[in-house]
Structure formats: structure tokens, C-alpha cells
Amino acid sequence: VRRLRITILQQAVWRGRNTGLPMPLAAGYLKAAVEAVPELAAELEVTIRSLRGTESASAILQALADPAPPDMLACSVLGWNYRLFGHISTTYRQMNPEGWIVWGGNHVSGQAERVGREFPSVDVVVQGEGEESVVELARAFVSRRSPRDLQGLAGIAFRDETNAWVDTGRRTRIDDLDRIPSPFLTGSLGIVPRAGGFPYEAAILETNRGCPYSCAFCYWGGAIGQKVRSFSRARLEAEIELLARSGCESIMLCDANFGMLPEDEGFLELCIRARERFGAPRHISTSFAKQKGRRFFGIVRRMKEAGLHSSFNLALQTLTEPALDEMKRRNMRINEWEDLAGWLHDEGMDVYGELIWGCPGDTYADFLAGYDRLAERIPRIATYPLLILPNTGYDERRDELGLVTWKTDAHDFEFVLQHASMPLVDNVRMHRFLFWSRVLAEHSLLRSIWKPLREMTEITQSQVLLKLDAWVDRQPDPIVSGLRSCRDASVDALDIGTEYIERGLQYLFLSERLFDRLLAWWEEEILPHVPPSLRTVAGDLLRYDLVTLPIYDPTERAERCSLPMEVVGDRAYYVRRGVKFECDITSALRRRVWSPCVDALPCCAPTQVDIYYLAGFCSDMALYHNAQNVRYFGRIGRPDPSGTTGDRLDA
Ligand code: SF4
């Protein structure tokens, strides 16, 4: 007898084109949960299709139809794939009129009526945590029950015979997370020690679920609930060992508050031990706890001692008090996060800040003032426009907050057009700023200039970016026009999402002729504000930022880049030799003091340096993920063979 076939679709938010697949963790949980039940495993064949975000709907449908459409199509739905999966579901219904279509995920939980209105082919929406509901659904499926008759199954909404939605209510949350079979240890995600290398770009891993806060913009504050539950240490230990033995270099933790629980220290030790034994992992990215106590500082220091690289995200979201009130969020006090940022910088951590533009209570002027205050400590700031997500506090209070929103046909994100403190005209001009701040500052294309400029001049970071914005508007040449078109596309769309960032980054990474034009902007617009005695070094700083941009090498074939390669430790680097600067750029960057008395310091002699660039800057995750690209910036001099520490000299 043929086993029934279930296909689970999961699509990453990153658009990966050249390297490993995005890890479909949510789908892996579901597959592991179903396959852990022997009678279901005997009757079902569960396949995961991990999508990079670049596949066309027709390519996905062709894969679904090969060799025959599955008996059940399950979709892990988020805002970025809602419409795509809706269209896929509509066509799948025609391919297999008897097949089940099951959707799940935070974005559609509690949204069955709307889902059904927009995509009538969807049979079932799973609400909340899906692992146990999916097992019950699978039992009903193999018993040949109708998807119109699923009374008695908790945690779902389904259409009955009259086409009305029946909500069976939320399932109690899973208190003992170890009840969920591990998608790693069960083989659901196909991770095998050293079998041809790690199959994904990075491992996505949860050590716990839940968050004690209730930020009004966030799914976790609304849909997921408050109590934090952890996976056991024994399970995490086995998972980390498997990942390390499989050559997994990067782990991305989904935890909302890493460093909040005592178990987090133990988890870190597991990673360090694995790294010592198997050489992996090398990088851990996560969202650290909002309140930083003794444990947090210990964790950061331990990571550093162990050579475990991480990026630290100071997610303040806004520094405007009325906006924080509306958001139901309290940040650390200003002096605390300023001290923290300084400490992390001194510890050599990659730090970036995070702000959300357009929150109720914020204004154009207040947002830029907050941006500049944060930039004084952390120039790399991710600036996202506010999206109103289903199942969040803002969603529930939209009328009270006077939100005017809009959507595109491409995805299901609801943008905010205007509200009481944000007139439309301010939103439009802020999108000009957001383009430059995201492309140039957040992705660190400009990075060494910020601190010196603050000390040498009165110009703030936002003013530098806005000066560039105005200068770009005045340039008639085609090279700068190309950059202007990238910005205009984003502003016209009132969207600074991935496709607009990608376009700007690609243009900058691939248009070396643009560098001369940017140096011209610097000379015309910025250097006149710099004391004359410092203009030479200030000029070199921008030159340094531009010449150390990563070598974009999509195919990893040496002929794509004419620079010679050198292997240091187990890593390959492109080397640009004899790069000339008008001052001693190494000393200037190491000194980190930028005052007019710089004349007395030994940086005024012209120098030549060799710059090493880690090869492999071709994965889109590295390209577009602001915490990943930092590894690929050029470094002066030969790097440390261990590859764990660097001598990047950004000020
Ligand atoms: S934004 Fe972070 S702290 Fe706030 S509710 Fe969401 S996960 Fe929790």
C-alpha cells in the first residue's frame, strides 16, 4: 500500500542563491513529531522543501508535482511568504482536489477567517505551537477523516461542511519542550556528521521558547505568551555535539533573551567544549536579554576568551519616551546602555543597534535625535520601518492609535503610512534617510569614519547621511544616478525591505567607479567641516572604508577576482598588496583619538599596506545579513591563523 505523502513548505526570509540552504527548523520539528509516532511513520512519508526565497511559484509547483502532488500540503506561513503560499495552495487544490491544505505559523494563528477569505483552498489553520496539533492532524489524515470534520482536535481552525470556520481553541502550551522530538537528533533535517559538509548556511536552534515582555510590535509579546520554557541540557548537549561534528560553523539562536536564564551559561560551555573538540561552531548569533546583569557580562567575556565570535544586537527600537510608552516597553536607562555599548566595544564584540521607525508617539525629529544618540556609541544601526503584524498589541489598538496602513501584493506585511505623530510627508522623507542608513551604516560599508568625524566636527551621523542624500540629488553623472535610482526605488515604494537593500548593496559592491565619486562627495561636503590639520587623515578614513569592502565573489572562482589568494590557517584570503594611503592609516586607526592635536602623532607619513579579505563573500546571507558580513571586510596585515580573532581596525 502506498504511504500517504505530506510535503511541508518553509521559506527563509533571506534570499540565498549560492550556498547552503536555509535551515527549515519549524518544518523539522513537525516532521520529527510526526515520524516519532510509529504508526504514523509507517503510513506517512514526510518531505520538507526548504525554499531560499528566490524560487518562482512555478518552480515550486513543478517540484510539488514531481512525481505527483502530495496528499497533504503543509505551509509554514509568515508575512513574507503568505501570498506566495496562498497562490501555491490555490494551484495545488486544482492538482489534487482531495488533498489537505494545512497552514500554520504566528502570522496566521487566529487568522483563519481572513486566510479563508483570501485563499479559500486552505482547509486547516494550526494555531499556536504546532508540533502536537500536527500529530493529531496526521492521525486524522491517516484515518481518512475528512478535513471538514475535525471536531475534537485541539489547536486548529477548520472549515466545516457549510464552509464556516470552526475554531477548536488554543492548545495548552508545551511545558516540557523535550516532549518535542529533536529535528536534529532524529535526522529530520538530514544532518549527518561530516557527510559532505554541513548542508545549511547556519544552524537555527532554540534553547528555549517564550518571552516575559509584551512589546506591542512583536509576535512573541502577543501570540507566544509570557512563560519561558527551556529544552533540557542533555538534549542541547547532544544537538550541539551533532552540529559540531557535522561541521556547522554558525549557530543562530532563536531565543528572545539569551543570557537571561542560568542555563544559558551552561549552553555556552557546551558550545565551547564542542568547539575545542571538533573545531565548530565558530559563531553564535542571538538576541541577548534586554536587561543586562552579571550573567550577561560573564557570557560575553567567556565567548571572547573562547574565541567564539558573536554579534551583539542592542535592540532599543526607539529612544523616544512617548513611543516607548505606546510600545509598552522600557529600555535600559541611557547611561546603562551607553556604558554597555562601550564595554562591548572594548571587549572586541561586533555590536549593532536596532531602531524601528514609525512607532506611534515618535516623530521625524525625535527619531533622528535618538539615532544620533545611539550612533555616538554604536554607528552600525539597523533601522526598520514599523510593520503591523497580526496578533500583536499594535494590531489590537490600531483604531485607538489612528494607524493608517497599507499593503503590497508581494507579501502580507502591513506598512504604516501615517499616524498622529507621523504625517505622510515625514514618512516619505524618512525613507530617504532609511535607505542610506540601512545600506551604508547598518551594513558597515561606512564604518571607520564615524567616531573620527564626531571628534573632528560637529556633524552627526544622520547629518552625514542626509548630506549624501542631498549631494546625490545634485549629481548629473550616470554612476551616481545609478545609486540615486536605487534610493528612489525604495522611497517610491515606501519600503526598505530586502530587495531594496540588496539593490543598493549590489550597486555599491560591484561599482568600483563609484568610489571616486564618493571620495568627491567627501571632499566637497564633509572635509570642509574638518579642521585643516586633520583633512589628510579624514580623507584616508573614507578611502580605507571603501578599499576594505569585501571582495564580492559570487562563484568563488579565482578568475572572477584578479587579486592573488593566500591561505592562512584553514582560510583562503584575497590579498591586495601595497595599498597607498597619504597618512599612516594603521597608526591612525589604532590610536582612536581624533583631536586637532593629531599633528603631534605619528600618522602623517604616507604608507603602503597589504589588505587581506576573507574569500567566500558570495553567500547572500553574508551579503545581506548585517551580522554576517563583518567577517569579510578587509583587514590590514596578515590575519591570525586561527581565524577566530581579527585585527580589523575600524574606529
Ligand atoms: S521584542 Fe523581544 S523583548 Fe519584546 S516581546 Fe518581542 S521577543 Fe520579547
Side-chain angles (χ1 to χ4, degrees):
V1 179
R2 174 177 88 78
R3 288 198 296 170
L4 291 171
R5 292 167 50 235
I6 298 177
T7 295
I8 309 175
L9 298 182
Q10 182 167 349
Q11 184 203 46
V13 68
W14 298 290
R15 297 164 178 230
R17 291 189 190 95
N18 303 302
T19 54
L21 281 173
M23 178 184 277
L25 180 65
Y29 278 128
L30 302 179
K31 178 170 156 65
V34 169
E35 292 180 342
V37 181
E39 62 272 25
L40 294 179
E43 298 219 28
L44 291 170
E45 182 187 326
V46 184
T47 305
I48 296 174
R49 292 214 185 273
S50 174
L51 303 171
R52 292 182 157 99
T54 50
E55 299 85 349
S56 64
S58 65
I60 297 167
L61 286 164
Q62 287 176 53
L64 266 186
D66 183 18
D71 302 292
M72 179 194 286
L73 175 66
C75 299
S76 172
V77 183
L78 280 154
W80 58 80
N81 58 32
Y82 177 90
R83 302 219 169 271
L84 176 70
F85 286 173
H87 298 315
I88 301 271
S89 299
T90 303
T91 305
Y92 167 80
R93 167 61 67 238
Q94 298 163 59
M95 289 171 159
N96 184 359
E98 302 306 315
W100 287 29
I101 302 177
V102 178
W103 280 24
N106 282 337
H107 199 81
V108 291
S109 199
Q111 305 287 311
E113 296 274 354
R114 180 169 81 92
V115 168
R117 233 181 7 259
E118 297 187 8
F119 298 108
S121 53
V122 176
D123 296 306
V124 180
V125 174
V126 176
Q127 330 236 45
E129 285 171 305
E131 291 87 356
E132 298 194 336
S133 302
V134 158
V135 169
E136 281 196 22
L137 268 175
R139 285 188 206 279
F141 183 56
V142 298
S143 336
R144 305 296 201 269
R145 276 174 72 174
S146 160
R148 303 284 168 140
D149 175 23
L150 296 174
Q151 283 292 3
L153 271 67
I156 61 165
F158 68 95
R159 288 170 193 280
D160 67 11
E161 294 293 351
T162 68
N163 229 16
W165 281 95
V166 178
D167 189 331
T168 67
R170 290 281 171 117
R171 182 180 287 279
T172 344
R173 293 169 63 223
I174 305 169
D175 262 333
D176 175 8
L177 291 183
D178 282 358
R179 285 212 319 257
I180 306 168
S182 164
F184 303 99
L185 304 174
T186 57
S188 290
L189 289 168
I191 294 168
V192 182
R194 292 288 179 197
F198 194 66
Y200 301 106
E201 290 198 306
I204 316 260
L205 184 73
E206 291 177 311
T207 76
N208 62 45
R209 287 182 181 178
C211 175
Y213 303 105
S214 305
C215 307
F217 56 85
C218 175
Y219 283 132
W220 280 48
I224 299 289
Q226 309 297 311
K227 193 172 159 217
V228 181
R229 300 144 298 144
S230 298
F231 289 95
S232 70
R233 182 183 166 99
R235 170 175 169 149
L236 291 170
E237 183 167 14
E239 290 181 338
I240 290 297
E241 178 169 337
L242 175 64
L243 290 171
R245 284 156 54 93
S246 311
C248 166
E249 297 218 335
S250 292
I251 293 179
M252 302 180 83
L253 290 182
C254 307
D255 301 18
N257 292 285
F258 189 69
M260 183 174 75
L261 302 177
E263 298 91 294
D264 296 341
E265 291 163 307
F267 175 79
L268 179 60
E269 291 308 318
L270 295 177
C271 294
I272 292 170
R273 263 216 318 271
R275 163 76 190 269
E276 286 163 1
R277 289 172 64 202
F278 307 109
R282 290 172 186 253
H283 311 272
I284 295 183
S285 357
T286 185
S287 296
F288 283 99
K290 248 160 37 104
Q291 301 304 331
K292 316 293 187 285
R294 181 203 52 79
R295 182 173 304 120
F296 165 82
F297 288 97
I299 282 177
V300 173
R301 189 152 272 153
R302 187 74 183 105
M303 280 178 138
K304 188 186 173 197
E305 280 165 15
L308 209 51
H309 178 273
S310 183
S311 242
F312 178 81
N313 172 6
L314 193 58
L316 295 173
Q317 314 308 5
T318 179
L319 275 67
T320 307
E321 283 300 323
L324 281 167
D325 290 342
E326 294 290 10
M327 198 184 273
K328 309 245 177 297
R329 185 178 163 104
R330 279 279 132 255
N331 284 331
M332 286 180 291
R333 284 195 296 275
I334 286 177
N335 61 334
E336 285 174 347
W337 67 253
E338 285 181 339
D339 291 349
L340 172 66
W343 183 81
L344 287 164
H345 191 270
D346 293 344
E347 290 292 311
M349 294 278 288
D350 279 314
V351 190
Y352 71 99
E354 195 173 275
L355 293 176
I356 299 176
W357 156 245
C359 297
D362 218 342
T363 66
Y364 182 87
D366 287 345
F367 181 82
L368 290 184
Y371 179 91
D372 284 330
R373 203 178 321 144
L374 180 55
E376 283 180 20
R377 298 290 169 161
I378 307 174
R380 185 152 65 99
I381 304 174
T383 42
Y384 306 118
L386 177 66
L387 302 174
I388 305 300
L389 303 177
N391 303 313
T392 61
Y394 282 148
D395 181 29
E396 283 163 18
R397 297 176 57 225
R398 57 177 63 231
D399 293 340
E400 178 196 333
L401 296 168
L403 301 179
V404 177
T405 64
W406 66 289
K407 283 186 181 179
T408 74
D409 291 333
H411 44 62
D412 195 47
F413 290 130
E414 193 172 356
F415 296 93
V416 181
L417 196 68
Q418 62 185 57
H419 54 61
S421 60
M422 183 183 74
L424 177 55
V425 65
D426 283 356
N427 196 11
V428 173
R429 62 185 177 137
M430 186 61 84
H431 272 76
R432 295 170 72 112
F433 172 77
L434 293 180
F435 176 81
W436 303 113
S437 72
R438 292 211 65 184
V439 171
L440 294 175
E442 173 187 334
H443 284 80
S444 301
L445 273 64
L446 298 182
R447 57 204 180 286
S448 300
I449 58 167
W450 301 121
K451 182 169 187 284
L453 266 195
R454 268 200 317 278
E455 295 186 15
M456 293 173 180
T457 73
E458 302 276 297
I459 314 177
T460 66
Q461 187 160 318
S462 73
Q463 287 166 347
V464 172
L465 295 170
L466 290 171
K467 278 179 184 294
L468 178 63
D469 184 66
W471 180 85
V472 161
D473 274 345
R474 297 195 299 272
Q475 305 312 304
D477 62 276
I479 308 245
V480 180
S481 300
L483 188 58
R484 184 163 63 235
S485 304
C486 297
R487 179 207 63 191
D488 289 348
S490 163
V491 176
D492 288 349
L494 273 186
D495 183 356
I496 186 60
T498 315
E499 76 178 273
Y500 300 101
I501 304 276
E502 281 180 14
R503 190 168 158 185
L505 287 172
Q506 292 258 12
Y507 194 80
L508 279 145
F509 283 131
L510 296 175
S511 312
E512 280 198 21
R513 283 184 303 160
L514 184 60
F515 294 176
D516 284 341
R517 301 296 294 122
L518 290 175
L519 288 166
W521 155 67
W522 193 247
E523 197 162 329
E524 290 165 30
E525 297 287 318
I526 306 298
L527 291 187
H529 297 270
V530 174
S533 65
L534 296 174
R535 283 184 192 158
T536 304
V537 71
D540 269 354
L541 285 168
L542 182 66
R543 211 165 291 123
Y544 170 81
D545 275 355
L546 296 177
V547 81
T548 51
L549 287 181
I551 303 293
Y552 182 55
D553 184 16
T555 61
E556 284 189 296
R557 288 203 307 265
E559 61 265 31
R560 301 276 311 193
C561 171
S562 56
L563 292 175
M565 283 189 111
E566 190 176 321
V567 174
V568 183
D570 59 352
R571 314 240 133 185
Y573 292 83
Y574 288 110
V575 190
R576 200 189 296 269
R577 297 198 192 281
V579 179
K580 292 183 180 154
F581 289 93
E582 290 183 43
C583 71
D584 179 353
I585 189 72
T586 311
S587 303
L589 287 164
R590 284 219 170 102
R591 194 178 59 246
R592 295 171 186 253
V593 174
W594 311 93
S595 62
C597 63
V598 77
D599 287 353
L601 295 163
C603 70
C604 300
T607 47
Q608 286 192 31
V609 296
D610 296 340
I611 299 181
Y612 284 69
Y613 308 80
L614 183 62
F617 186 62
C618 57
S619 117
D620 291 305
M621 193 163 124
L623 250 180
Y624 306 123
H625 194 275
N626 63 14
Q628 297 287 331
N629 68 3
V630 291
R631 294 190 273 155
Y632 296 93
F633 285 104
R635 290 148 198 259
I636 291 178
R638 210 161 182 271
D640 172 349
S642 75
T644 57
T645 56
D647 51 359
R648 210 154 45 85
L649 293 171
D650 308 349

